[in-house]
Amino acid sequence: MAESDNIVVETAEKIFADLADPQTINNDKKDSWQAPLWQALSEAGLPLAWVPDDLGGSGASLADGFALLNAAGRFAVAVPLAETMLAGWLLAQAKIASPEGEMTVLPASPKDRITLDADGALSGRARGVPFAKAAKHFAVLAQGKDGAVVALVDAGKARIESGLNVGYDHSDTVTLDKIQPVTVKPAPKGFEQTHLMLMGGVARSLQIAGALESMLDISVRYSNERVAFEKKISKFQAVQHNLARLAGESAAALAAATSAADAIANAKAFDDEVYLEAASAKIRCAEAAEKGGSIAHQVHGAIGFTMEHILHRYSLRALAWRDDFGSESHWAVELGKLVAKRGADELWPLVASR
């Protein structure tokens, strides 16, 4: 996915290049770049890429949407593009039309629960919700007496406690206290919260992989510009070794993330194969975010931590994305439970077939 191969990605990359240049954004202390970027993305139909035409969206394929998320990661885009895409996808599962404007999904953590009361009101608390403060609507997966439901909620009716993740983006706590949704419909038979977490986890994995690609490019470029002891630091064996390790982490993250995205795009259901791919991708990409970010900052030295340099835009967001929709430790435990339940002999053919 490093190179655009479809019109969705080409359109997104052009918009990002024109309106989301990392250095320009880094120097903009008033965030005046956000409105033009979101307007351009919306006019191109990208935030609702996963929403069918008859529900108000663009009707792009899952594969195209995943490629778009990888491109967004390469620009460390700090707008709720991924969140709105996920919200639109969730609403579409229940045939609910998507409204215009920014959205995000509830819950964003495997341990949080939202319930549908007998009177049709939603109650519950969701922590670490990305861009909740910026959202106009929430797409909510809740549990009712007859099973899972999907609801569209006016964000203005919820209580939102502001929070920031390590990338300085909003990661808020949302409380629904007997909130009447705009619309609520039953989720598809068999659809559950784990499926939303897996979908969100793959989205984050692709963003992490994209960010690592950019961190590698930035680090290689810097090593060819920075001179120490009268020669470029790229000539030093220790730096070359670090760059090779960073390239390895970037390649591993991209392979894991794209494999998981391919599994979901071609699957008919969230089966064991999808579970293995998606959970493994989140684990591996989260690990790569930690190791890759550390290596990139080692190559840059102290300058990589300064607010004037763009490296931290990528490294800190990659670290923040590790925890969204389940951390690597959560998915490692859940993956272990699945292996213990089904047995390695039963699951291995699924892995080998990939």
Side-chain angles (χ1 to χ4, degrees):
M1 290 186 187
E3 295 183 4
S4 62
D5 55 2
N6 61 62
I7 191 170
V8 175
V9 178
E10 290 175 359
T11 300
E13 289 181 336
K14 185 178 187 308
I15 292 173
F16 294 148
D18 291 343
L19 300 173
D21 173 67
Q23 192 62 64
T24 300
I25 291 175
N26 207 42
N27 295 332
D28 184 357
K29 306 306 179 184
K30 297 182 179 179
D31 292 334
S32 58
W33 57 272
Q34 290 183 345
L37 173 60
W38 186 258
Q39 181 178 351
L41 292 171
S42 298
E43 289 175 352
L46 299 180
L48 299 181
W50 279 334
V51 177
D53 295 340
D54 58 347
L55 294 176
S58 304
S61 67
L62 284 174
D64 285 347
F66 283 135
L68 167 59
L69 290 173
N70 183 244
R74 292 198 296 273
F75 284 84
V77 175
V79 292
L81 174 61
E83 292 74 17
T84 302
M85 289 175 62
L86 285 169
W89 172 82
L90 177 59
L91 292 172
Q93 302 308 299
K95 308 300 181 184
I96 298 175
S98 291
E100 295 182 355
E102 298 90 334
M103 293 190 290
T104 191
V105 292
L106 304 181
S109 169
K111 296 182 179 180
D112 292 335
R113 294 289 183 273
I114 307 296
T115 59
L116 180 70
D117 303 334
D119 62 354
L122 294 168
S123 298
R125 193 177 188 218
R127 297 162 296 176
V129 179
F131 291 104
K133 268 287 187 182
K136 294 181 174 62
H137 290 92
F138 300 139
V140 182
L141 182 63
Q143 191 66 32
K145 65 177 182 177
D146 297 323
V149 300
V150 177
L152 176 65
V153 173
D154 183 347
K157 295 182 178 180
R159 185 167 74 251
I160 303 175
E161 300 171 47
S162 296
L164 295 175
N165 61 27
V166 296
Y168 300 100
D169 295 326
H170 270 283
S171 180
D172 311 306
T173 298
V174 178
T175 301
L176 304 179
D177 186 8
K178 297 187 180 302
I179 299 296
Q180 288 292 337
V182 176
T183 308
V184 59
K185 291 184 179 181
K189 185 177 180 180
F191 191 87
E192 56 189 47
Q193 187 167 320
T194 298
H195 301 159
L196 173 60
M197 295 300 111
L198 291 172
M199 190 72 172
V202 172
R204 285 299 191 241
S205 297
L206 288 162
Q207 289 177 285
I208 289 172
L212 283 166
E213 288 182 81
S214 292
M215 280 190 269
L216 175 61
D217 290 341
I218 293 168
S219 298
V220 169
R221 185 167 61 249
Y222 177 78
S223 70
N224 284 317
E225 296 171 350
R226 178 77 166 87
V227 175
F229 303 105
E230 299 183 349
K231 64 179 180 179
K232 297 176 180 178
I233 64 171
S234 60
K235 302 297 183 180
F236 290 98
Q237 187 174 13
V239 175
Q240 293 173 352
H241 177 67
N242 272 341
L243 290 173
R245 289 172 56 212
L246 177 54
E249 293 297 328
S250 176
L254 185 61
T258 53
S259 182
D262 182 61
I264 291 179
N266 292 291
K268 295 181 179 179
F270 283 87
D271 54 18
D272 284 347
E273 180 180 350
V274 169
Y275 195 106
L276 283 167
E277 289 276 2
S280 299
K282 189 68 192 302
I283 294 168
R284 187 61 185 92
C285 290
E287 180 182 344
E290 180 182 12
K291 293 181 178 180
S294 174
I295 294 168
H297 281 285
Q298 287 177 21
V299 171
H300 281 78
I303 193 173
F305 288 98
T306 63
M307 294 305 293
E308 289 78 12
H309 203 279
I310 63 172
L311 180 62
H312 64 84
R313 291 190 55 80
Y314 296 92
S315 61
L316 293 181
R317 282 187 175 81
L319 290 174
W321 291 334
R322 293 171 62 194
D323 293 329
D324 291 340
F325 306 104
S327 65
E328 68 262 43
S329 59
H330 166 81
W331 288 116
V333 170
E334 294 303 308
L335 204 55
K337 290 179 180 178
L338 178 63
V339 173
K341 179 180 178 181
R342 298 294 178 86
D345 291 340
E346 182 179 343
L347 294 174
W348 173 247
L350 298 178
V351 179
S353 66
R354 299 290 297 172

